[in-house]
Amino acid sequence: MDHPLRIGIWALVHGNRAALHDPEEPYDASWRRNRDLVLEAEALGYDCVLVAQHTMNPHHPDLGQLEAWTSSAALAAQTKRIEIIAAIKPMLYHPVVLAKMATQIEEISGGRFAINLVNAWNRKEIEDAGLVFREHDERYAFGAEWLSVVERLMRGETVDHHGTYFQVKDYVLKPAGQKRPRPTIYIGGESPPARDLAAAQADVWFINGQPLESVQALIADVRARPRQGSPVRFGLSTFVIARETEAEAQQAYQRLLALAKQDTDIKAYVKANTDPAVAMRKTQAKYETVGTNGGTAGGTVGSYDQVAERIAQFHAAGIDTLLTQFQPFEPEMRRFARHVMPRLQTLRAVRRDLAPSLA
């Protein structure tokens, strides 16, 4: 709990997060909706937004899909406080090009930009573009080299790199480092190569939603891996269903679960295109959940007090960035800000007051 708890949201880059056929949330992944969503989240006190990257919709080829990096640049220009985290699949962009884009958005945002490196699970998205979809562990070797080039370029260093995948000769980007040394680096993925990469090169490691005990074990594992510099910090994704009572929350959960079971065509499409070696899919298969990236597996379904307490437990375990999902997104995001955020502040104040007597 050395770092304050930051609450973020997932941008709706591919629409609904829990179930497609929801009469309370018609499908909408448009720029206009996402812009309005992020502006409202900033006004409500949310700290960051993750803009996931997909060039084609990962759930169905006929559905719309927001483009992450052009949207992040536009969000940087229209927001004032919220951190904008743009995901990147390294095989889609040469590191020189991506680093230049990142330093530009960093300048536009006034130092509020971050990149989230993900090494991809959707084979179709890469192969249908005529690109090489490397096997699981090689994707992380590729990503590590890619990131090592991007990180130095974002700092404004002159880079002379001759590696397995990239050859860069005396390259420097200007301007860079005007507000801070470089944008923040988030890394996702839970396989052993992903954990090594996060321990070596991430500022923050993102964990998919799962029970507290599993999260504690993952944090301990990555903390034990070789690391230079300041300690890695940790983020967690979770789908929240919070109500006045636990019974009301469970009723809302069952509604979404029933709707999600109608998405058989989506689930089949995703499964057909997913690399079976991806750790996220193996983790998700253990739990009945709604939502993406672990969804409700973290246990954030319950009364306002129960949800606040569970989030406080994750914070005590080492999570300092919580990325929330909701459905329908906007009204549930407002509900969380109105009822759960104040409880989190109270819990933190109480525990801070208790700390001396517990020492």
Side-chain angles (χ1 to χ4, degrees), residues 13-20 27 54 56-65 121-122 263-271 273-274 281 291-293:
V13 298
H14 50 63
N16 310 36
R17 281 284 162 185
L20 180 62
Y27 186 89
H54 304 280
M56 61 172 63
N57 190 289
H59 297 150
H60 198 285
D62 294 336
L63 295 175
Q65 174 66 49
W121 54 265
N122 190 344
D263 294 337
T264 54
D265 56 336
I266 289 173
K267 293 173 182 176
Y269 182 82
V270 170
K271 184 177 181 180
N273 296 325
T274 297
R281 300 301 176 193
T292 67
N293 296 83

Side-chain angles (χ1 to χ4, degrees), residues 273-349:
N273 296 325
T274 297
D275 178 359
V278 170
M280 176 179 70
R281 300 301 176 193
K282 296 176 183 178
T283 299
Q284 287 182 308
K286 299 177 183 178
Y287 312 106
E288 183 179 59
T289 67
V290 297
T292 67
N293 296 83
T296 53
T300 49
V301 177
S303 69
Y304 300 136
D305 288 334
Q306 288 172 324
V307 169
E309 178 60 36
R310 175 49 55 91
I311 293 171
Q313 290 170 346
F314 281 125
H315 186 210
I319 297 298
D320 62 37
T321 300
L322 188 79
L323 287 176
T324 56
Q325 301 177 10
F326 308 99
Q327 188 165 328
F329 208 100
E330 288 88 344
E332 293 300 319
M333 177 180 73
R334 294 170 197 137
R335 182 195 298 272
F336 183 91
R338 184 181 310 116
H339 295 289
V340 179
M341 283 187 181
R343 285 171 165 82
L344 287 169
Q345 292 172 353
T346 299
L347 283 172
R348 181 165 174 78

Side-chain angles (χ1 to χ4, degrees), residues 36-47 79 81-82 333 337:
D36 293 348
L37 176 72
V38 174
L39 288 172
E40 182 174 7
E42 182 176 58
L44 288 170
Y46 288 87
D47 299 293
T79 54
R81 182 189 56 80
I82 198 167
M333 177 180 73

Side-chain angles (χ1 to χ4, degrees), residues 200-219:
Q201 295 179 252
D203 297 310
V204 182
W205 182 43
F206 270 144
I207 301 169
N208 291 304
Q210 48 202 288
L212 178 63
E213 297 77 12
S214 299
V215 171
Q216 290 170 323
L218 288 169
I219 289 173

Side-chain angles (χ1 to χ4, degrees), residues 166-188:
F166 300 104
Q167 308 295 316
V168 179
K169 182 179 179 181
D170 296 334
Y171 225 95
V172 64
L173 302 178
K174 300 295 181 183
Q178 294 176 302
K179 294 288 185 180
R180 53 182 176 164
R182 59 158 172 76
T184 304
I185 296 171
Y186 294 76
I187 290 178

Side-chain angles (χ1 to χ4, degrees), residues 241-254 302 304:
I241 303 175
R243 294 291 187 275
E244 190 68 40
T245 67
E246 182 180 9
E248 291 174 305
Q250 286 297 324
Q251 183 178 13
Y253 169 72
Q254 291 299 325
Y304 300 136

